[in-house]
Amino acid sequence: TVQVGTQVSGQIQEIFVDFNDRVRKRQLIARIDPTLLQQNVREAEARLERARAEVGQRQSDYDRNLKLYESQAITESEFSTIKYNLAVAEADMKSTEISLERAKQNLAYTNIYSPISGVVVERNVDVGQTVAASLAAPQLFLIAEDLARMEILASVDESDIGRINEGQTARFTVQAYTDDVFAGTVRQVRLQSTMQENVVNYTVVIDVTNDDGRLRPGMTATVDFLVEAAEDVLMVSNAALRFRPTERMIAALREQRQRNRETMPDSIRERVAERRGTGGRGPGTNEAPSGGGGPAGFGGFGGFGGGSDMTMIWYIGENGEPAAARVRTGISDGRMTEISGRRIEEGMNVISGVNQSAESGSASPFQNNQPRRRPGGF
């Protein structure tokens, strides 16, 4: 936006544009009463005529006394005074010419032109209102250059500013269109910091296209910066990752794994024991102690330990009983988290909660949350 002011004082005589009007560069948008400034121009013209007459008189004196000086009829001192008077008269004439130019320029300033092509966002004066430009130029209009190209000045906390870079994708919402998500691109991360409630913030400038004109100057935007993305991945709700199994579920899983070991060939059982570091001591020797209320991985139960990105999810198996699978977690958008694993498939009925009162009943006590694939990433 560009603030349009005035360089001269006076009363607003005419206004040619209003709010939301489109204007062209150098278009006349307002006029200040020029009466006093027209009088100043005429006064400056009169002073210039007088100065010219004075110069003519001094020039005649100089020409006449030059001959007398050459014939030595007058002294050098007398001639120097005449020469000085001519120079002073010529300087006065130049000064009055400048004063006339200034008066004409001030008169031209009574016509207010648009400095750019754009849309009038604000009109701060009315016809008949007097504006004073003695100390600072008053704002008459506010013109937006191009509402199809806008920018957001986002305030980012110092703990997050290290993850913001130029060219980064951003998406935002405005209160006027709560169901719509708009996109933008980070153009600048300003070095100047501000402090609000003892929190240091930095201003990030985001370029936004507004071809449909729905976004308006002054709107409040809530911005999300895309710091990482994953496409064509499986996701599960964070509630399923935070799920804590019950004692019954842990006991059922132990029984199932025990049955699997008993039916496992000896050669495979020995390789599994060696991989887990049991030294081939037989089935069941690597189990963790029981105990409810543990995290989803419940203390590395059954050899499911791993790094900080490894955890377990519980799901309803083919036999209708709860089962567990080890997964590796990826990025998260706060609601859903990327997961991967050998036993993870799209559409699995993942358990995100247990209805304790219904657990002993015939109805399924589990709250299902199927992993789904989002083609466009988070």
Side-chain angles (χ1 to χ4, degrees):
T1 55
V2 177
Q3 298 179 1
V4 181
T6 174
Q7 295 179 267
V8 295
S9 303
Q11 189 179 73
I12 301 297
Q13 187 179 64
E14 294 177 283
I15 294 178
F16 303 102
V17 295
D18 202 351
F19 290 92
N20 301 340
D21 284 351
R22 293 191 173 273
V23 295
R24 303 181 309 276
K25 186 176 181 179
R26 298 300 301 167
Q27 177 181 338
L28 181 64
I29 58 178
R31 177 178 289 122
I32 296 176
D33 186 3
T35 303
L36 295 178
L37 296 177
Q38 289 174 346
Q39 294 175 355
N40 291 340
V41 170
R42 290 196 296 269
E43 183 180 359
E45 290 174 345
R47 288 198 301 268
L48 179 59
E49 291 179 0
R50 178 179 177 179
R52 287 174 177 171
E54 184 70 20
V55 169
Q57 177 64 33
R58 297 300 181 181
Q59 185 66 47
S60 298
D61 292 344
Y62 176 82
D63 294 338
R64 183 174 62 256
N65 287 278
L66 177 60
K67 296 178 181 180
L68 296 176
Y69 173 71
E70 291 175 350
S71 62
Q72 298 183 354
I74 58 175
T75 63
E76 183 177 357
S77 176
E78 292 174 335
F79 182 71
S80 296
T81 301
I82 295 172
K83 185 177 180 180
Y84 168 76
N85 291 336
L86 175 61
V88 170
E90 291 176 344
D92 289 342
M93 185 179 68
K94 291 181 181 180
S95 178
T96 54
E97 288 175 348
I98 294 174
S99 297
L100 177 60
E101 291 177 0
R102 183 185 301 111
K104 289 182 177 180
Q105 187 61 58
N106 287 336
L107 179 60
Y109 285 151
T110 59
N111 292 326
I112 310 298
Y113 297 94
S114 173
I116 60 172
S117 298
V119 179
V120 178
V121 179
E122 293 182 18
R123 176 178 62 82
N124 302 318
V125 292
D126 296 302
V127 174
Q129 182 176 342
T130 301
V131 293
S134 56
L135 298 178
Q139 178 179 313
L140 306 183
F141 302 91
L142 184 67
I143 299 179
E145 181 176 3
D146 186 3
L147 292 180
R149 294 184 298 108
M150 305 186 72
E151 64 181 19
I152 300 174
L153 302 181
S155 182
V156 179
D157 186 274
E158 62 175 328
S159 61
D160 297 325
I161 196 64
R163 308 176 71 184
I164 309 302
N165 303 294
E166 294 182 3
Q168 192 170 6
T169 301
R171 58 190 182 191
F172 63 96
T173 59
V174 294
Q175 296 180 357
Y177 312 104
T178 55
D179 297 332
D180 296 334
V181 178
F182 302 88
T185 304
V186 175
R187 174 167 55 88
Q188 183 184 58
V189 180
R190 295 181 178 175
L191 301 177
Q192 177 64 35
S193 63
T194 59
M195 182 165 298
Q196 299 175 358
E197 299 179 356
N198 295 327
V199 177
V200 178
N201 296 289
Y202 294 86
T203 299
V204 177
V205 183
I206 304 165
D207 286 336
V208 177
T209 57
N210 186 35
D211 295 332
D212 54 6
R214 292 195 297 168
L215 300 175
R216 302 183 182 185
M219 281 185 169
T220 301
T222 302
V223 184
D224 291 328
F225 297 93
L226 189 61
V227 297
E228 194 173 3
E231 297 183 359
D232 197 24
V233 297
L234 289 172
M235 301 185 301
V236 72
S237 70
N238 290 348
L241 298 177
R242 294 191 299 266
F243 171 70
R244 296 174 181 268
T246 64
E247 288 281 356
R248 175 186 171 186
M249 296 172 62
I250 295 176
L253 182 61
R254 282 200 178 100
E255 293 176 0
Q256 178 64 35
R257 295 186 62 179
Q258 182 67 28
R259 289 193 297 269
N260 293 339
R261 290 193 186 98
E262 293 175 353
T263 59
M264 185 183 301
D266 293 340
S267 59
I268 297 178
R269 184 184 307 167
E270 291 177 359
R271 288 198 300 269
V272 172
E274 291 176 358
R275 185 172 66 250
R276 295 180 177 177
T278 62
R281 290 191 294 270
T285 58
N286 195 39
E287 291 183 356
S290 62
F298 46 94
F301 167 74
F304 282 108
S308 60
D309 60 343
M310 299 298 297
T311 185
M312 291 181 63
I313 62 171
W314 288 80
Y315 64 95
I316 300 177
E318 296 179 356
N319 57 359
E321 294 295 327
R326 182 172 59 175
V327 297
R328 183 181 299 274
T329 58
I331 64 175
S332 175
D333 62 358
R335 297 179 299 104
M336 308 290 291
T337 298
E338 173 192 358
I339 59 172
S340 59
R342 289 181 300 176
R343 301 169 62 183
I344 303 302
E345 297 178 356
E346 184 175 0
M348 290 175 58
N349 291 320
V350 179
I351 302 173
S352 60
V354 174
N355 186 344
Q356 298 289 351
S357 62
E359 188 174 358
S360 59
S362 59
S364 175
F366 306 113
Q367 300 175 11
N368 300 337
N369 195 311
Q370 295 184 354
R372 61 179 182 271
R373 190 179 300 273
R374 182 175 297 180
F378 293 124

